[in-house]
Structures are given as structure tokens and as C-alpha cells.
Amino acid sequence: MRIILLGPPGSGKGTQSSFIVKRYKIPKISTGDILRTTIKGHTKELKNPIKELMKQGKLINDNIVCSLIKCRILQKDCQKGFLLDGFPRNLYQASILKQENINIDYIFELSVSQENILKRIIGRLIHIPSGRTYHSKLKPPIKPGLDDVTGDLLTVRNDDSYNVLKTRLKEYKEITKPLIKYYIKKSKENKIKYFKIDGNKEIHHISNQLEKILNNHINNI
Ligand code: AMP
């Protein structure tokens, strides 16, 4: 089962991917998570330009991101499937998947209102090593400021500010959104299954909807 979650920042990709990977025991591959971990331990030369772009809410060079993804997908745990969160981010990245014969079964587009995006991003907390996300009001951790699983300190992403969010949403609209048309076309050619999901609904409601679709897939194997 190979899945792509598409949607703007704050659409719930992180939350729903955590549900899917736990439920179906497939790895989550989040380019954002990989990049955040990479810049933590990397040399200065590579670290600074990536860190700077991420801080500004701009996309990272395609070659860097695509090679990270290609390496990750080759790992053994991806043999039975995987979930991509944050990749592809543009048509070129999607073309790399095709070129590498990495066929995808499902595209889930999470659509969400601007109002909810803002509510969810401002106040969001992250556990960087795992990518687990929380929200101080909407999804608080059991102990304030600490990750539920490890007890590590949670942090606020430095791109989760109002100003950077504006850039990220612009990047999404101009660069990533064309992927929706691309995948809808592919679904009409029966090459992929595409579902648009209302990301404004409650977390459990969306998870149930995804589960229904994916169970159907498993029953048909
Ligand atoms: P995310 O965690 O998905 O919100 O991504 C955080 C940041 O990582 C983005 O704003 C980009 O700077 C970078 N990033 C993540 N995925 C990609 C990608 N597929 N292509 C380029 N940049 C990416």
C-alpha cells in the first residue's frame, strides 16, 4: 500500500499519517521530518542554506529532496508500502517517482479552510525526532510541553509563525496545488485512486473515512 497525503500546511497530514502508519504498519516518509533531523546533525555548509530556506517557508532544491526520498524508499521497511507526507511538492518531484517506477496506489487530498489552517498552525508543537505533532489547545500533550511517548521537550517549529505561514501557503498554492490536477487526471486513467477529504472535520472522523477506504483496499488484495 503506497500512499501520498497532499494538502496545505495545517491540513492534518501529520496527524492522519500517524494514524495510518500505526493502523497499517507502514513507514511514514515525511520530507519535512527528514530535513529537520538532517539539519540538526549536518555540516555547516549543507546545514545553513537548507535551514535558512525552511525558516523562510520556501521549498528546498529538488535534487536534495529527491535523493533523500529515493534512498529512503529503497530501505527494507518500505517493501510492503509507505506513506509519503510532504512529497511530492511539485510536478518535477512527481515525475521523479514515475521515472523511478515508484507507483502509488492512493492520493488523499486534505482540503481545509484558511481559518482552520491558522488555528492549527499557531500553537502547534512538535517532537522533532519522531515528527509527532501536538497543539497547545486543540491537541495538547498529556504533560504540558512534553512528548507523550518519550517525555522529551516539545518545540515550536520556527516556520510556524504567521508571516512564514503566508509564504508556505503561497508556495502551496502556486507550486504544489497543480499536483492535484495531475493526480486527478491519473485517476481518470485508472492509474491511481484519488480521494478529496474534508480536512475541516474532526480528527477521528477523517481517520474513520481513511480507514474505510484503505480497508476496502486490503479486502480486495
Ligand atoms: P513540512 O514539514 O512538510 O511542512 O515541510 C517543512 C519544510 O521542509 C518546507 O517548508 C520546505 O522548506 C521543506 N520541504 C519539505 N518537503 C519538501 C519537498 N518535497 N520539497 C522541497 N522542500 C520540502
Side-chain angles (χ1 to χ4, degrees), residues 31-32 35-36 54 58 60 65 86-87 89 93 157 168:
T31 35
L35 288 165
R36 275 183 288 276
M54 288 178 82
K58 297 204 176 128
I60 307 304
V65 180
F87 187 95
R89 252 340 201 259
Q93 294 180 6
R157 277 172 53 169
R168 289 162 69 200

Side-chain angles (χ1 to χ4, degrees), residues 82-111:
F82 50 81
L83 178 147
L84 293 176
D85 165 2
F87 187 95
R89 252 340 201 259
N90 57 34
L91 289 166
Y92 174 75
Q93 294 180 6
S95 79
I96 293 296
L97 288 177
K98 193 166 172 248
Q99 187 187 305
E100 297 290 318
N101 284 323
I102 301 167
N103 297 317
I104 303 296
D105 302 301
Y106 286 93
I107 309 284
F108 294 114
E109 181 204 343
L110 294 168
S111 80

